[in-house]
Amino acid sequence: MAETATTRPAAPWRVNLAMALLTGLCVFVSAWACIELTRETGRIAAIWLANAVMLAAVLKRPRSDWPLLLAFGYLANILANLVTGDQLAVAVLLSLCNSLEVVLCALLVTGLTAARDFRRPRLMVLLTLVAAGPASIASAALGASILLVLYGTDFTTGFSSWYAADALGLVTLTPMLLLSGSNDLVDLFHPAMRRRLALVSIVLLATLSAVFLQSTMPLLFLAFPAIIVATFSLGFAGASLAVMITAGIALWATLNHMGPIGLMHDGLRLQIIALQLFAAALSLTGVAVATLLGERDLLGAALGQSPDFQYVKNLNSEFVSTNLAVAQNAGFTGAKQLIGKSDYDLTTPQRAALLKLEEQEIMAGAKIVTFKQEQVSNAGGEARWFETSKVALTNLTGRVIGLAGTTRDITAHKALEESLEQSRARVELVLTEMSDGLAVISADGYIVLCNEQYRQLFPISGQYRVPGAFLPKIVALSREQGEVQNFNPGHVMDLLKEGGQELVHLFDDTWLEVRVRPAASGGCTLVVSDITRLKRTEMEMRELTKELEVLAGTDALTGLANRRSLDARLAQEIARCKRSRLPISLIMIDVDNFKAFNDHYGHPAGDACLRRVAEALQAGAKRPGDLVTRYGGEEIAVVLPETDEAGAFVLAEQLRLAIRDLAIGHTGSDKGIVTISAGVASLVHDGQASTVAELHSRADEALYRAKDAGRDKVMGWAMTARDRVSKTANAH
């Protein structure tokens, strides 16, 4: 869990004072060194480290410690300015700018998020944006103004120099100080790491010597592989140490006219700017690689040390990653021995073929495997019961890239279910060996016996679930304290008598499966399993199913609903309008002379034309209940619930004009541009059954009348019908 300021226990005042003194000392040393460097280089600060040290100290402590830390840091900053020759007023004002920068950055970061785990990429990005943005800008603006008033320094020059130095210090050193904790330093000098530390140090120093102790070749790029090697080998602390050593050597070499940066002949100012850019790139590279490696190591440890069988396979059903439990069950001594192997290397060809077929169906979306139980012999020939769940893995684009599986050994669970009627001595023996929680309940609802696993599954009421306790009363207490919401005492008594299975959702998002088996004596046995991981897998699969349903009802080219969605929606709306006696209208639209457009401009242009037409029609149908669908080819249908033909005609005319306004050129049309023809039809239910086919037929008839009338027109079916009747009467 990410540590926050509110979760840290308050430290004794002596510890707080010691931390403040240490912080003040570090701020003084870094500020003094940077000021001296500034004067040596004509007041061009390469990097300002004091604020970075101060910000890291503040962010690592709760807000209650901030005033003391800030006070000591401010005084140390003033002292550094005084020691280097500044007047008191100047020292006070310039130190105030630095303190403002630290306070603003700390308040923004802690105000935007409560997390304090700076090894998470999102939090590190937030810190970088705030540090390089409002915090440094505000400090630089105030500092440049003070320098302008006191010394007449050009504001732009003062602002750019102040901002570059402060932003670079915050962005480079602060992340390093936040990432490298005391535990990382202990790990770095652990006996198990000594050989690796020595080798990395030799490689790093050799590389840096080759880069910076010569002035003939621009080998600056060689520093980055050295940083990456140090990060991969030594983690967060190694990255911080390597970056600081490299930056220090680079600065020394540059000031002594050595190294790749010293090859620049445009003056010290540009060399310092180049050094700033190099230090920033170096730090960001180290932080990024260290952060990613930290997440990888955490996930790898979680996978490798899980007591269940965890494994990941590629699209060919070959093992990509497994934990030690899988390897040992298969007869191997290490998980790496399974990489690249498949089930054909672990079991019989017949069983391996069945498993591969099952996994290929899962990755194809044709099958879901959750809680599958089967009996299998392990490498030693022992028959064991296993419960398996498998899920397809997808990347950010939704493409399937592999499969993940979790298998639990439920042999003890199966054995328990078959031996509940045996003696109490045997039950107690099994209770101590099983992984699930188990409790035996008497006929009147009292707990006769239970194991420790059963109590631990209930974080609030577990202390009361002991032999002799009345179970319905405990359930009522659990519900009252918010531990569980979906049980009540009456329901518990029914479940104890009749048996069955229930899912329990706890307050901390844990899912428990409670299975009740009645006994001949009138009591029962409860078996409680933590199925949180499997439940989440199930919910993920349901979400995936919903996404597939949405994709099945969408036209891939235009993004509109497809014919399938149209038919389902029309049937639904006609049934609803039949009950409410309200009209429903359908507009059938056809892009005029679209075949000629495709023949002249080509199919890619035709597809682009259809997409623009679809977007315009979608924008024109503004009501939430209106549905624009691609009927097929260049035909588009618009469903208008609770709309009569006159209203639909008005909308169809607006849509026709909207397509004309697109002004898509069309040499194959006598209009010179792309146009549409539309047919409008409506049904008003009068108690008799009206059908989707009838509404389609009317709209199609009106559409063909519009095309026969010269295209780029809207015709209503009622208008068409009256015209047809009129012509028939005139003919007679």
Side-chain angles (χ1 to χ4, degrees):
M1 183 181 71
E3 186 182 33
T4 64
T6 56
T7 61
R8 300 172 186 161
W13 68 269
R14 292 185 181 86
V15 174
N16 293 335
L17 181 59
M19 287 293 299
L21 288 171
L22 179 61
T23 301
L25 178 61
C26 294
V27 169
F28 171 77
V29 172
S30 56
W32 171 79
C34 289
I35 293 173
E36 289 296 328
L37 175 62
T38 298
R39 291 177 176 173
E40 287 292 328
T41 58
R43 303 196 71 85
I44 304 172
I47 185 171
W48 185 254
L49 302 178
N51 292 357
V53 173
M54 191 68 227
L55 179 60
V58 167
L59 289 178
K60 283 193 172 186
R61 304 299 299 171
R63 283 198 177 188
S64 59
D65 296 348
W66 287 11
L68 188 62
L69 290 172
L70 292 170
F72 273 79
Y74 180 58
L75 293 175
N77 218 322
I78 293 176
L79 183 59
N81 280 273
L82 292 175
V83 169
T84 53
D86 283 336
Q87 297 180 356
L88 178 61
V90 175
V92 169
L93 292 175
L94 295 182
S95 299
L96 182 62
C97 297
N98 292 325
S99 296
L100 171 66
E101 180 176 272
V102 173
V103 171
L104 182 59
C105 189
L107 288 177
L108 287 175
V109 171
T110 57
L112 292 173
T113 177
R116 294 294 178 274
D117 185 4
F118 286 93
R119 301 191 181 197
R120 309 300 298 175
R122 180 176 299 179
L123 187 55
M124 190 57 69
V125 169
L126 174 62
L127 173 63
T128 302
L129 292 176
V130 171
S136 295
I137 291 174
S139 177
L142 182 58
S145 300
I146 293 174
L147 292 175
L148 174 63
V149 173
L150 295 178
Y151 300 112
T153 305
D154 179 66
F155 179 84
T156 302
T157 302
F159 177 85
S160 60
S161 298
W162 189 298
Y163 173 79
D166 280 30
L168 183 60
L170 294 180
V171 171
T172 56
L173 183 59
T174 302
M176 291 298 176
L177 294 175
L178 290 173
L179 289 176
S180 300
S182 58
N183 291 333
D184 296 292
L185 295 176
V186 171
D187 290 343
L188 184 62
F189 295 100
H190 191 275
M193 297 288 288
R194 288 175 182 172
R195 179 177 296 180
R196 181 177 297 185
L197 177 61
L199 291 176
V200 171
S201 300
I202 293 172
V203 171
L204 183 63
L205 293 176
T207 302
L208 296 179
S209 298
V211 173
F212 292 105
L213 299 184
Q214 54 83 31
S215 301
T216 58
M217 293 182 291
L219 302 177
L220 193 62
F221 60 90
L222 291 179
F224 290 93
I227 296 299
I228 294 176
V229 168
T231 304
F232 269 90
S233 302
L234 304 176
F236 288 101
S240 302
L241 186 62
V243 169
M244 287 188 285
I245 291 175
T246 304
I249 293 177
L251 178 60
W252 177 86
T254 301
L255 293 179
N256 287 275
H257 309 290
M258 299 176 62
I261 299 178
L263 294 176
M264 299 176 62
H265 301 295
D266 296 322
L268 185 59
R269 182 180 182 85
L270 288 180
Q271 290 180 358
I272 294 301
I273 293 175
L275 182 62
Q276 290 175 336
L277 296 176
F278 169 69
L282 201 66
S283 177
L284 292 176
T285 300
V287 169
V289 175
T291 301
L292 293 177
L293 284 177
E295 291 210 347
R296 185 202 66 174
D297 293 343
L298 183 62
L299 293 176
L303 175 66
Q305 300 174 26
S306 172
D308 292 335
F309 303 143
Q310 308 277 1
Y311 48 90
V312 178
K313 294 185 177 181
N314 60 19
L315 294 175
N316 294 324
S317 293
E318 298 170 340
F319 289 104
V320 176
S321 178
T322 72
N323 62 356
L324 184 60
V326 176
Q328 291 177 340
N329 184 70
F332 294 90
T333 58
K336 292 184 178 180
Q337 294 176 285
L338 281 177
I339 306 303
K341 298 184 182 297
S342 68
D343 289 311
Y344 285 96
D345 301 302
L346 308 181
T347 185
T348 63
Q350 295 80 6
R351 174 171 167 74
L354 292 176
L355 291 174
K356 183 173 183 179
L357 177 61
E358 177 185 77
E359 291 171 354
Q360 294 299 313
E361 290 178 346
I362 293 173
M363 289 186 281
K367 188 174 184 179
I368 299 175
V369 173
T370 54
F371 312 122
K372 185 184 77 172
Q373 296 183 2
E374 56 181 345
Q375 190 177 35
V376 182
S377 297
N378 60 15
E382 180 185 6
R384 309 288 293 179
W385 277 96
F386 297 96
E387 184 177 74
T388 300
S389 293
K390 298 178 181 179
V391 61
L393 301 176
T394 58
N395 61 11
L396 293 177
T397 65
R399 179 173 60 86
V400 175
I401 58 176
L403 174 140
T406 299
T407 300
R408 299 175 58 199
D409 187 336
I410 59 170
T411 305
H413 184 85
K414 281 286 186 179
L416 178 64
E417 290 181 343
E418 296 173 357
S419 62
L420 287 178
E421 300 301 327
Q422 298 182 10
S423 66
R424 180 170 179 171
R426 183 175 179 181
V427 171
E428 291 178 346
L429 177 63
V430 175
L431 285 176
T432 61
E433 296 180 351
M434 66 181 300
S435 59
D436 293 332
L438 183 139
V440 177
I441 312 300
S442 65
D444 52 0
Y446 287 88
I447 299 177
V448 177
L449 62 92
C450 63
N451 61 0
E452 184 62 25
Q453 295 90 319
Y454 170 76
R455 288 191 288 270
Q456 291 178 352
L457 287 172
F458 298 92
I460 295 179
S461 63
Q463 57 182 321
Y464 307 111
R465 297 175 183 265
V466 294
F470 188 49
L471 185 59
K473 183 177 180 180
I474 296 176
V475 172
L477 176 65
S478 174
R479 180 178 179 181
E480 179 182 344
Q481 296 186 357
E483 182 182 45
V484 63
Q485 302 293 331
N486 58 341
F487 265 16
N488 60 71
H491 179 65
V492 170
M493 293 304 298
D494 294 339
L495 188 64
L496 296 179
K497 293 178 181 179
E498 300 172 4
Q501 180 174 306
E502 286 282 342
L503 292 181
V504 180
H505 194 190
L506 300 185
F507 72 101
D508 59 355
D509 206 31
T510 298
W511 284 90
L512 302 179
E513 182 184 56
V514 180
R515 297 184 296 278
V516 182
R517 180 176 177 180
S521 60
C524 64
T525 301
L526 301 180
V527 179
V528 185
S529 305
D530 186 345
I531 61 167
T532 304
R533 183 170 58 249
L534 299 180
K535 189 66 177 179
R536 289 173 181 169
T537 300
E538 176 187 348
M539 290 187 288
E540 291 174 0
M541 296 303 298
R542 288 180 180 175
E543 289 296 325
L544 179 60
T545 301
K546 291 180 181 178
E547 293 177 5
L548 292 176
E549 290 176 354
V550 172
L551 292 176
T554 303
D555 176 61
L557 175 63
T558 63
L560 300 176
N562 59 17
R563 175 71 178 273
R564 175 183 175 186
S565 299
L566 172 66
D567 293 341
R569 181 65 175 276
L570 274 179
Q572 177 186 357
E573 292 296 338
I574 286 179
R576 187 170 67 87
C577 291
K578 182 176 179 181
R579 295 190 301 270
S580 62
R581 305 303 174 98
L582 293 172
I584 178 174
S585 295
L586 176 66
I587 304 175
M588 293 299 296
I589 298 172
D590 187 81
V591 181
D592 298 327
N593 300 303
F594 188 72
K595 183 178 183 304
F597 187 95
N598 266 340
D599 293 341
H600 182 76
Y601 295 98
H603 287 284
D607 291 346
C609 174
L610 280 181
R611 282 192 289 269
R612 292 188 62 188
V613 169
E615 291 172 359
L617 296 178
Q618 184 74 65
K622 301 177 181 178
R623 296 189 312 171
D626 298 342
L627 177 67
V628 183
T629 67
R630 186 182 182 192
Y631 188 74
E634 65 272 21
E635 285 191 285
I636 296 175
V638 182
V639 181
L640 303 173
E642 301 181 13
T643 305
D644 58 16
E645 188 167 308
F649 189 95
V650 172
L651 177 60
E653 183 64 17
Q654 293 173 351
L655 297 178
R656 183 187 70 82
L657 295 176
I659 301 306
R660 287 189 64 87
D661 290 341
L662 295 177
I664 303 173
H666 187 357
T667 59
S669 170
D670 57 351
K671 306 296 189 298
I673 59 174
V674 171
T675 60
I676 61 172
S677 299
V680 179
S682 178
L683 290 179
V684 180
H685 288 285
D686 54 2
Q688 299 179 354
S690 298
T691 65
V692 173
E694 182 179 357
L695 187 57
H696 269 161
S697 176
R698 291 182 179 184
D700 281 336
E701 183 179 348
L703 173 60
Y704 289 130
R705 292 278 293 177
K707 296 175 74 68
D708 290 341
R711 295 186 172 86
D712 192 22
K713 288 182 172 53
V714 177
M715 298 293 288
W717 180 83
M719 181 191 308
T720 302
R722 288 194 299 270
D723 184 49
R724 186 170 57 250
V725 172
S726 176
K727 288 182 178 180
T728 302
N730 291 336
H732 288 289

